[in-house]
Amino acid sequence: MSKFGVLVTGPAGAGKVRREAIETTFCSGLINHLRNNKRSCFYINLDPAAEDFAYEPDLDIKDLISLEDVMEELGLGPNGGLIYCFEFLLENLDFLTEALDTVTEEYLIIIDMPGQIELYTHIPLLPALTKHLTRGSLNINLCVAYLLESTFVVDRAKYFAGTLSAMSAMIMLELPHVNVLSKMDLVKKMVSKRELKRFLDPDTSLLDDDPADAATGSPLGVDKSADPNSAGAVMGGSSFKRLNRAVGQLIDDFSMVSFLQLDVQNEDSVRAILSYIDDAIQFNEAQEPKEPHEAEEDMDEDME
């Protein structure tokens, strides 16, 4: 029997779980949508620093180990402590296996991850975790939802850096990916719909009309009267420009990353993302077809 799941990843602040308003984040929005559509889910929190949730996790890594305890007892910083927590998890994988053994194929397993991108880009901890989840007794059909905050599109260099991190995670994890520009409600008044479509498929042409250049009147995006040693001058200079173009060209050469738009406050938007996730994990293909009387009962319940 197969199981089905999605690994929710992305840099801190991308709206995976927590922000100022918890109800506007992806995991809570996805769980809410699933419940409204009478679909079961099993919610796992693997962020050892997480505290506030709109929906209580069915399984929480803090019942095994917490970042606060690690930092206090071992004297580690946040990043070192997080890596230790995941190393400890990998030594105690029964914590996951025992909880997931009884989860059936009707459930969508939602696994929320921390926002430290080094876990997805160059430290070989998550590949070991995903191999355990997708093989052996668990045999989870797993995909990754990589969330990038849509406000990145305002800063072209930041957008390409975020896209590079998404591509790195795709190569590192070797799983089907659904890359998402989240928090679309934050950029509605900042970027036109036509302009926003250009960011769904990353292209180096975006660097040709960088607003940062227009703001300074310089094709290099730097004010010539500014202190050449200032952060603004360095990040707007020719070397930084060449770096961004090299990153953009690398992304273009691999041609792996494209984005979907998500406004988690919009049910249709959440439904669209979920449909891509279902396709990636082949969820619908494994479900038993309903008998006519079962379909009628569901329709009657929806009408009540």
Side-chain angles (χ1 to χ4, degrees):
M1 179 183 69
S2 294
K3 304 179 193 294
F4 301 91
V6 55
L7 201 71
V8 183
T9 67
K16 299 186 296 300
V17 179
R18 296 160 303 281
R19 194 168 163 81
E20 293 80 7
I22 294 175
E23 67 275 10
T24 64
T25 57
F26 178 65
C27 283
S28 57
L30 182 58
I31 293 170
N32 185 63
H33 178 80
L34 291 168
R35 290 187 174 185
N36 288 342
N37 288 274
K38 299 180 176 62
R39 184 168 161 186
S40 302
C41 65
F42 190 89
Y43 177 33
I44 301 175
N45 170 54
L46 289 187
D47 184 348
E51 295 180 353
D52 301 317
F53 303 95
Y55 295 98
E56 196 66 25
D58 297 293
L59 184 67
D60 192 341
I61 190 176
K62 295 198 304 298
D63 293 333
L64 176 70
I65 189 171
S66 74
L67 180 60
E68 183 180 2
D69 290 343
V70 169
M71 292 173 63
E72 182 178 337
E73 294 178 17
L74 300 180
L76 296 173
N79 289 340
L82 182 67
I83 293 171
Y84 181 90
C85 288
F86 270 83
E87 290 175 341
F88 189 82
L89 175 64
L90 290 177
E91 293 173 358
N92 296 273
L93 288 171
D94 285 347
F95 175 75
L96 291 173
T97 305
E98 292 174 2
L100 291 170
D101 265 341
T102 58
V103 176
T104 62
E105 63 184 12
E106 291 83 12
Y107 283 75
L108 177 65
I109 301 167
I110 301 171
I111 306 174
D112 171 48
M113 302 297 296
Q116 281 74 6
I117 62 171
E118 58 266 30
L119 287 175
Y120 320 122
T121 55
H122 60 276
I123 298 177
L125 292 174
L126 278 198
L129 176 61
T130 56
K131 285 178 182 177
H132 174 76
L133 294 172
T134 57
R135 300 176 185 178
S137 62
L138 290 179
N139 191 31
I140 302 175
N141 284 13
L142 195 65
C143 80
V144 177
Y146 194 95
L147 274 64
L148 192 69
E149 188 172 334
S150 61
T151 54
F152 277 33
V153 305
V154 179
D155 184 334
R156 303 293 166 89
K158 198 173 182 180
Y159 165 77
F160 276 103
T163 303
L164 181 63
S165 71
M167 188 178 81
S168 179
M170 294 175 76
I171 295 171
M172 184 84 162
L173 298 179
E174 298 181 325
L175 290 171
H177 265 64
V178 178
N179 297 305
V180 179
L181 285 177
S182 64
K183 302 181 183 177
M184 293 303 301
D185 54 304
L186 298 182
V187 295
K188 285 180 180 178
K189 296 181 180 180
M190 301 167 62
V191 183
S192 68
K193 289 184 178 180
R194 181 177 179 181
E195 179 71 7
L196 197 56
K197 287 182 179 178
R198 299 179 63 198
F199 292 90
L200 301 182
D201 294 294
D203 192 303
T204 53
S205 65
L206 289 165
L207 294 168
D208 295 333
D209 56 353
D210 191 342
D213 295 346
T216 60
S218 167
L220 297 179
V222 60
D223 184 355
K224 294 181 179 179
S225 64
D227 180 359
N229 295 318
S230 67
V234 172
M235 296 185 69
S238 58
S239 296
F240 188 66
K241 194 81 169 181
R242 288 196 299 272
L243 173 62
N244 287 333
R245 190 162 292 279
V247 169
Q249 190 60 55
L250 180 65
I251 293 167
D252 193 51
D253 289 344
F254 274 82
S255 191
M256 293 173 62
V257 184
S258 61
F259 290 100
L260 303 171
Q261 302 178 60
L262 171 66
D263 179 356
V264 80
Q265 300 177 67
N266 185 316
E267 277 286 305
D268 290 337
S269 180
V270 177
R271 184 183 297 110
I273 298 297
L274 179 59
S275 71
Y276 278 93
I277 291 172
D278 284 342
D279 286 345
I281 60 179
Q282 299 179 311
F283 177 82
N284 293 317
E285 294 178 19
Q287 303 310 302
E288 292 284 343
K290 290 186 176 182
E291 296 293 333
H293 70 275
E294 292 177 330
E296 290 175 4
E297 288 174 0
D298 287 345
M299 290 179 63
D300 291 340
E301 289 178 6
D302 291 339
M303 294 175 65
E304 290 178 356

